Amino acid sequence: MEALNKYIQRAITLAKRGKGWVNPNPLVGAVLLKDNKIIGEGYHEFFGGPHAEVNAIRNAKEDVAGSTLFVTLEPCSHQGKTPPCTDLILEKKIKKVVIGILDPNPLVNGKGKKFLLDHGLEVTSGYLEEEILRMNEQFIKFIKSGKPFCILKTAMTLDGKIATVAKESKWISGKESRKFIHELRQQVSAIMVGINTVLIDDPLLNTRRERKRNKNSLKVIVDTTARLPIESKVLTNDPQLTLIATSCRADKAKLKQFERLGAQVLVCPLKNEQVDLPYLVNSLGTMGIDSILLEGGSTLAFSALQEGIVDKVVSFIAPKIVGGKEALSPVGGKGINRLQDAIFLNNLTVKRVGSDVMIQGYIH
């Protein structure tokens, strides 16, 4: 088992290179072993591109016949954007296949493994499953429900503030935390903020990673009455990657202006006089958006938690104290009256990031 895990672990490392580029597909890595040496490696590099198994075979330094294939996710046995990987495995006379996890898609779960077994290959599965499942949490939520995996990100001072009383918020978190946030932006398909965040900070909402290729995600602005200024950075920089989620309360002429600039407009139903968030999230899912990073503000954060659309929370706590009764906290809104109704996080991890502390947890 330990020896097999070693090569699956290598396949996991390879798979992570596809973060942000394969959405809404899963992260998958593959390793080919022959005569106790690695002869080929590959990973799923971009959406619509060759699968990890195909790349590992193409990259092989010698004939793969008789080799063992280690792959994080069950090889596909159906025709999608690319041909079935199981057919190629048979064609290349690979002898054994070691699978991390079976495909979480209920429609294909176990079929690839069965196909290979039926054709005489030695196949085993169930290696480093927890790590692979966590790595593909966005894909798994999306493939099973059609809804995006939603991450709520917050950054606050030690006394729980996201800005000073003068609304200054740059920068609450440290440099290393901000680097991590840009890695998060790279991994998701959309970044969502409320209109107040744009009015106060005028953010770019793009991905900025030094010495790395960057992918900019869809920028979703929740703006019930279309208050977004035409000169906002989200409209003057890549407006075609901006979606304004609004309602019937918005001025139609203003919405036409957004569209003329190249932005998308989604008119949502009202719920409690605000954009209906579940409707918005479901609509994004139908557009193929598999993951959303909720970056603020405090009103949107509370509404998202209240509506049950948040799957994961990533919170940065900076060793700073600013005080102020009127200074905002990460989660605003009406709040919860009774402690017994508080939203609990499970599977917590706590990590030091530069001078900050990062807490991650899941909402079930």
Side-chain angles (χ1 to χ4, degrees):
M1 175 72 81
E2 188 175 336
L4 298 182
N5 282 347
K6 171 185 173 182
Y7 297 109
I8 289 291
Q9 188 65 62
R10 174 58 186 167
I12 290 172
T13 300
L14 292 166
K16 289 179 179 179
R17 295 180 183 177
K19 282 185 176 181
W21 302 109
V22 302
N23 309 55
N25 284 350
L27 296 165
V28 186
V31 172
L32 282 163
L33 189 73
K34 189 174 182 179
D35 298 327
N36 291 319
K37 65 177 181 179
I38 293 175
I39 63 167
E41 295 183 333
Y43 66 98
H44 186 32
E45 298 178 13
F46 57 91
F47 176 71
H51 288 186
E53 302 94 317
V54 175
N55 285 330
I57 291 168
R58 286 179 180 175
N59 295 334
K61 301 170 186 175
E62 58 182 84
D63 185 8
V64 302
S67 65
T68 298
L69 171 68
F70 294 84
V71 62
T72 56
L73 183 71
E74 178 183 14
C76 63
S77 58
H78 61 282
Q79 177 73 45
K81 289 185 176 295
T82 59
C85 291
T86 50
D87 290 354
L88 183 64
I89 291 168
L90 291 182
E91 177 192 330
K92 295 298 181 180
K93 296 181 171 57
I94 290 169
K95 182 181 179 182
K96 181 178 178 180
V97 180
V98 179
I99 300 167
I101 64 168
L102 298 182
D103 194 323
N105 186 344
L107 298 176
V108 296
N109 181 272
K111 290 183 178 179
K113 180 179 179 180
K114 183 178 184 303
F115 179 90
L116 293 172
L117 285 169
D118 289 346
H119 284 79
L121 274 74
E122 183 181 346
V123 186
T124 59
S125 61
Y127 302 90
L128 302 182
E129 291 178 281
E130 187 175 339
E131 187 172 352
I132 298 169
L133 289 169
R134 185 60 52 86
M135 175 177 72
N136 280 302
E137 58 192 11
Q138 296 175 188
F139 166 74
I140 292 167
K141 163 83 181 286
F142 186 67
I143 200 67
K144 287 185 174 182
S145 69
K147 298 178 183 180
F149 184 87
C150 295
I151 305 168
L152 172 62
K153 185 275 296 181
T154 65
M156 63 183 180
T157 60
L158 194 60
D159 57 336
K161 308 297 184 182
I162 61 173
T164 67
V165 288
K167 296 185 178 179
E168 183 183 342
S169 60
K170 293 183 179 178
W171 296 100
I172 292 292
S173 55
K175 184 178 179 181
E176 293 303 314
S177 295
R178 297 198 298 275
K179 280 185 179 180
F180 188 94
I181 290 164
H182 281 277
E183 290 293 339
L184 274 180
R185 287 184 178 183
Q186 171 69 23
Q187 295 168 26
V188 299
S189 296
I191 299 166
M192 184 185 294
V193 297
I195 182 58
N196 288 331
T197 295
V198 179
L199 294 176
I200 294 169
D201 295 335
D202 194 19
L204 282 164
L205 298 181
N206 60 4
T207 303
R208 302 183 295 277
R209 301 182 303 162
E210 294 179 4
R211 301 184 187 91
K212 292 182 179 179
R213 279 195 311 141
N214 295 306
K215 175 213 71 179
N216 289 328
S217 303
L218 180 69
K219 300 168 285 186
V220 180
I221 315 302
V222 182
D223 184 7
T224 306
T225 56
R227 291 187 290 152
L228 180 68
I230 295 300
E231 63 276 10
S232 297
K233 289 177 182 175
V234 292
L235 289 175
T236 56
N237 294 268
D238 292 333
Q240 71 278 5
L241 279 177
T242 299
L243 182 147
I244 296 98
T246 188
S247 73
C248 60
R249 293 175 60 195
D251 179 65
K252 290 182 174 58
K254 184 77 173 288
L255 299 184
K256 289 292 183 186
Q257 282 185 290
F258 294 154
E259 291 177 330
R260 280 196 291 270
L261 289 170
Q264 303 173 63
V265 172
L266 177 64
V267 179
C268 303
L270 285 169
K271 190 171 186 180
N272 299 321
E273 296 304 307
Q274 303 292 330
V275 165
D276 186 329
L277 285 182
Y279 177 90
L280 169 58
V281 169
N282 290 342
S283 298
L284 291 171
T286 63
M287 294 166 55
I289 299 298
D290 73 327
S291 47
I292 301 169
L293 180 61
L294 298 168
E295 289 214 33
S298 62
T299 302
L300 177 64
F302 179 73
S303 297
L305 289 165
Q306 187 179 43
E307 293 292 350
I309 65 171
V310 177
D311 298 290
K312 182 179 183 179
V313 176
V314 180
S315 183
F316 296 90
I317 304 172
K320 302 171 184 176
I321 296 173
V322 298
K325 186 169 63 173
E326 303 301 322
L328 291 174
S329 64
V331 181
K334 291 182 179 179
I336 292 170
N337 291 326
R338 301 184 302 173
L339 276 175
Q340 68 184 53
D341 297 326
I343 298 165
F344 278 87
L345 301 183
N346 301 292
N347 300 322
L348 289 180
T349 59
V350 181
K351 181 181 178 181
R352 180 85 174 264
V353 181
S355 60
D356 302 333
V357 173
M358 177 178 68
I359 299 175
Q360 299 186 78
Y362 294 83
I363 297 173
H364 296 294

